[in-house]
Amino acid sequence: MSDLSLTPDDRVLVLGATGFIGSRLIRELAKKNIKMRLLVRSASKASALVPENSDTEIIEGDILRNENLGKALKGIHSSYYLVHSMGGKLLSQQSDFASKDKQAAGNFVSASDSSGLKRVIYLGGLGETGDNLSEHLRSRMDVAKILSEGKARETFLRAAVIIGAGGVSYEMLRYLVERLPVMICPGWIDTKIQPIAVRDVLAYLVGCLLDPGTAGRTFDIGGPDILTYRKMMSQYAEARGIAKRLIIAVPLLTPKLSSYWVDLVTPVPAGIAHPLIEGLKNEVVCRDNSIEEFIPIQKTSFYEAVKIAINEEKTASGVTGF
Ligand SMILES: NC(=O)c1ccc[n+]([C@@H]2O[C@H](COP(=O)([O-])OP(=O)(O)OC[C@H]3O[C@@H](n4cnc5c(N)ncnc54)[C@H](OP(=O)(O)O)[C@@H]3O)[C@@H](O)[C@H]2O)c1
């Protein structure tokens, strides 16, 4: 057994455990009796999310401010990296998210290099690597690069929009479709995208931890459907059982204007909406499907993923959200 293999005595650190993905991931890890430690900014927020009877330690700290990272990494075998720095109610509050992302990743690498961490599993964004990449997607790539330069072997999973209740991109789609029978959208409405169900993302995240052969690899992960945002909106309306939406593409609508408009119509603040909307110009389709050789799963269709998300809203089983 290589030292990259997780044993039952090993503990796994989850960064971002209070977020959309992290809060669901800790439930999946608990089902597998994996010992966990969470580094969170609010212990009370995290305590409410920790599954009962799991062996989970909570440490309060902040990655960006380098607070308690060393303590959190002590004795840890593998870590999930599920954090980003986008946020803020106003556009002006999100302008430096890319430098914060770099700073946080750099802090993590310095601390993990001295702790003897073996593996880091990072979930970032899917997209081409050219110059046209949005600042958000560029920042996600920069974080992957910084993490790969540490001593711990990185597994980088690249995903487009993740479909699940409480996911910020999904909630933007949901509120736009539900609240606007007629939509005036920028040119990105016809960009190709390969969304993925949150349950498939979780299967890949857990699968990568349990398969040391995935260490040091980058994988594109996506669902079975390649759609456009226009198709996603019409399939969403169908799954939700609401009337067909009229979508009019207006190429001159800028990302900045769209994000204020998303701010008006949806609960997603402009500080998060803007970088995401800017990224909608980038085609986000899997170019490499080698993950299937390591973790073969029955992929969930977009339509089914939406149905599951709608059901989660009714039962409130989506852990965090709007
Ligand atoms: N959602 C999607 O559709 C999607 C799609 C593709 C890729 N991804 C990737 O998936 C990963 C997780 O995204 P998500 O949607 O779960 O994000 P999220 O819901 O916004 O959660 C972000 C998490 O990061 C934590 N965090 C942020 N800054 C921190 C800091 N300085 N110190 C400690 N914790 C900090 C937040 O803690 P607080 O609770 O304290 O704020 C929260 O737990 C990201 O890398 C993202 O790029 C997401």
Side-chain angles (χ1 to χ4, degrees):
M1 190 186 277
S2 86
D3 67 349
L4 295 174
S5 301
L6 194 76
T7 71
D9 291 334
D10 289 322
R11 194 170 288 279
V12 171
L13 178 66
V14 181
L15 302 177
T18 52
F20 165 55
I21 299 295
S23 57
R24 291 164 186 263
L25 178 67
I26 60 177
R27 294 197 301 210
E28 296 306 309
L29 297 175
K31 283 185 206 158
K32 301 218 170 289
N33 294 319
I34 292 170
K35 295 180 181 183
M36 289 178 269
R37 186 176 297 154
L38 319 179
L39 177 73
V40 290
R41 292 191 285 198
S42 160
S44 58
K45 186 173 173 185
S47 313
L49 299 167
V50 170
E52 264 178 45
N53 302 324
S54 69
D55 183 343
T56 305
E57 299 169 359
I58 298 178
I59 294 184
E60 226 168 30
D62 187 306
I63 305 160
L64 186 59
R65 296 200 297 194
N66 211 350
E67 251 174 41
N68 279 339
L69 256 177
K71 188 175 166 193
L73 279 157
K74 201 164 179 223
I76 292 291
H77 181 279
S78 297
S79 175
Y80 285 99
Y81 196 93
L82 304 170
V83 297
H84 63 80
S85 305
M86 284 187 301
K89 282 214 174 306
L90 303 171
L91 285 181
S92 55
Q93 292 171 319
Q94 58 83 48
S95 53
D96 59 347
F97 71 87
S99 56
K100 286 182 185 164
D101 276 346
K102 279 195 196 124
Q103 177 72 45
N107 290 345
F108 175 81
V109 167
S110 306
S112 61
D113 275 359
S114 31
S115 79
L117 183 77
K118 306 280 188 296
R119 296 188 61 190
V120 56
I121 300 173
Y122 166 56
L123 175 64
L126 188 57
E128 296 307 309
T129 46
D131 292 343
N132 191 32
L133 211 56
S134 72
E135 197 186 358
H136 162 57
L137 292 178
R138 161 66 44 217
S139 175
R140 299 289 75 206
M141 299 291 290
D142 289 346
V143 168
K145 185 164 184 304
I146 294 168
L147 297 181
S148 74
E149 287 163 357
K151 289 182 194 157
R153 300 283 299 282
E154 182 191 30
T155 302
F156 176 24
L157 295 179
R158 307 186 338 136
V161 170
I162 299 173
I163 307 301
V168 70
S169 303
Y170 169 76
E171 295 294 340
M172 251 170 24
L173 171 84
R174 169 188 165 198
Y175 281 95
L176 286 174
V177 177
E178 286 180 19
R179 294 189 175 170
L180 298 175
V182 179
M183 268 179 272
I184 296 168
C185 293
W188 52 251
I189 195 75
D190 292 311
T191 307
K192 280 193 185 142
I193 174 161
Q194 192 168 354
I196 180 167
V198 66
R199 73 175 179 191
D200 294 0
V201 173
L202 295 172
Y204 288 134
L205 284 170
V206 175
C208 284
L209 177 71
L210 300 179
D211 184 343
T214 60
R217 303 272 312 239
T218 294
F219 298 105
D220 292 355
I221 57 171
D225 311 298
I226 297 175
L227 303 167
T228 59
Y229 291 96
R230 190 192 292 271
K231 283 188 186 147
M232 273 170 56
M233 286 174 166
S234 66
Q235 284 198 21
Y236 179 89
E238 196 186 327
R240 178 60 80 169
I242 53 181
K244 207 169 180 307
R245 275 25 202 157
L246 177 63
I247 300 168
I248 302 159
V250 178
L252 292 179
L253 200 57
T254 65
K256 198 165 189 161
L257 269 176
S258 326
S259 60
Y260 276 121
W261 171 65
V262 166
D263 198 27
L264 277 179
V265 176
T266 82
V268 180
I272 301 181
H274 179 80
L276 290 178
I277 289 173
E278 205 217 331
L280 301 183
K281 67 183 184 201
N282 293 119
E283 187 168 300
V284 278
V285 174
C286 298
R287 299 286 174 218
D288 155 74
N289 292 309
S290 55
I291 190 75
E292 289 166 13
E293 295 158 26
F294 293 89
I295 307 158
I297 61 165
Q298 185 72 41
K299 292 182 188 177
T300 310
S301 71
F302 173 74
Y303 189 83
E304 194 187 347
V306 171
K307 284 280 192 193
I308 296 169
I310 292 170
N311 200 39
E312 283 182 330
E313 286 159 28
K314 287 185 192 142
T315 60
S317 60
V319 186
T320 62
F322 294 85

